[in-house]
Amino acid sequence: YVVRSKYIDAVVSVGDSTLVDESGTELACRISSLNIEQAKMFTQTGSADDSYVNRVILKDGRYPEKAGECLIDAAAVKKYESLGIGSVIRLSAKDSAVNDALNVQELKIVGTVDSPMYISDERGNTQVGSGALSSFVFVDEDDFKTNEINELFVKINYDDIYDKFSDEYASIVDKIASEIKLISADAMSSNLSYLKIEYNNKISNTVNFKPILIKETRSLFCDIMDTSRFKNISFIISPS
């Protein structure tokens, strides 16, 4: 099974203040899409079909029922006094990325959750804030305005055959991951060609042309897969 997901990273503020921890580090979180109906069903019945992976555990509150409501990392609520059920958080990132990705820039916390995606205190790396994720947030899939998918969760057929901590299992996962990276490289090449055409058309319609360095294009597609060979790519878009 392959489950498509979307996310955007942002710095979190409450009121007029950006949240910081005891060391002064800004709270950077990953806002991910979640199939709310599947999550509700799993909580109510304890069962779900195989397409519902990385199943969250509702710790407090309820699931989102309308746009602009969210679930947040239960550990973050314990760490930051200004976070809790009913709190409204404001999201910000460079280059208006949040505005481009989400239909809303403020989210009301209605529930807290644990997620198997985050089993240690470390939440991962990011390009916003200090460079380290401190928390996570889930919103309904419809809160994302973009159709771009930047995350895939893959459940393999051998999941129940091999010990998940065995070398055999690791070898199979590595092989599948390599095949996905090859496919993603073709997809990125195709999308980059489309973007060049799109930006060239926009530039050709302007009176004063200036070469545009599309750094965000590189970041966009490097986020899809961890492919280091794309890290040094930059693009000068011209009307030629």
Side-chain angles (χ1 to χ4, degrees), residues 11-14 16-20 26-27 90 92:
V11 173
V12 174
S13 300
V14 174
D16 296 327
S17 302
T18 299
L19 294 185
V20 296
E26 294 177 324
L27 171 57
R90 189 173 70 254
S92 61

Side-chain angles (χ1 to χ4, degrees), residues 47-239:
S47 62
D49 62 47
D50 288 336
S51 65
Y52 181 37
V53 298
N54 298 321
R55 302 168 182 179
V56 300
I57 304 298
L58 186 67
K59 305 297 290 185
D60 191 19
R62 60 172 174 82
Y63 286 101
E65 297 174 349
K66 59 183 179 181
E69 294 184 340
C70 73
L71 303 169
I72 195 169
D73 181 3
V77 171
K78 295 178 181 178
K79 186 174 182 179
Y80 298 89
E81 293 183 359
S82 55
L83 293 180
I85 305 296
S87 299
V88 176
I89 59 175
R90 189 173 70 254
L91 310 172
S92 61
K94 297 178 180 178
D95 304 321
S96 302
V98 173
N99 293 339
D100 294 338
L102 296 174
N103 290 311
V104 293
Q105 283 71 57
E106 291 187 343
L107 297 170
K108 181 178 180 180
I109 300 172
V110 297
T112 65
V113 292
D114 287 338
S115 169
M117 294 171 58
Y118 304 95
I119 58 176
S120 70
D121 292 337
E122 295 183 358
R123 299 304 192 219
N125 299 321
T126 179
Q127 295 181 0
V128 304
S130 67
L133 288 171
S134 305
S135 183
F136 60 86
V137 166
F138 290 108
V139 298
D140 187 79
E141 295 168 327
D142 291 339
D143 279 346
F144 276 83
K145 67 172 63 171
T146 176
N147 291 322
E148 293 290 341
I149 302 299
N150 52 8
E151 196 165 41
L152 294 178
F153 301 114
V154 181
K155 181 178 175 62
I156 64 175
N157 292 330
Y158 307 98
D159 188 54
D160 299 325
I161 299 177
Y162 294 100
D163 179 355
K164 296 179 178 60
F165 298 98
S166 67
D167 292 339
E168 292 85 356
Y169 183 81
S171 177
I172 291 172
V173 170
D174 288 343
K175 181 179 179 181
I176 293 174
S178 297
E179 292 175 356
I180 292 174
K181 286 184 178 182
L182 290 175
I183 296 171
S184 73
D186 292 337
M188 284 188 281
S189 177
S190 176
N191 281 329
L192 289 175
S193 297
Y194 170 79
L195 283 175
K196 289 177 70 175
I197 294 172
E198 179 184 3
Y199 276 96
N200 282 334
N201 289 337
K202 289 180 180 180
I203 293 169
S204 64
N205 292 328
T206 61
V207 176
N208 297 317
F209 165 71
K210 292 183 179 180
I212 301 175
L213 179 63
I214 311 298
K215 292 182 179 179
E216 63 267 29
T217 302
R218 177 190 62 194
S219 299
L220 173 64
F221 294 109
C222 281
D223 282 343
I224 297 176
M225 285 289 174
D226 182 19
T227 47
S228 59
R229 58 196 173 117
F230 290 101
K231 288 182 179 178
N232 295 322
I233 294 178
S234 60
F235 298 91
I236 299 292
I237 309 300
S238 69

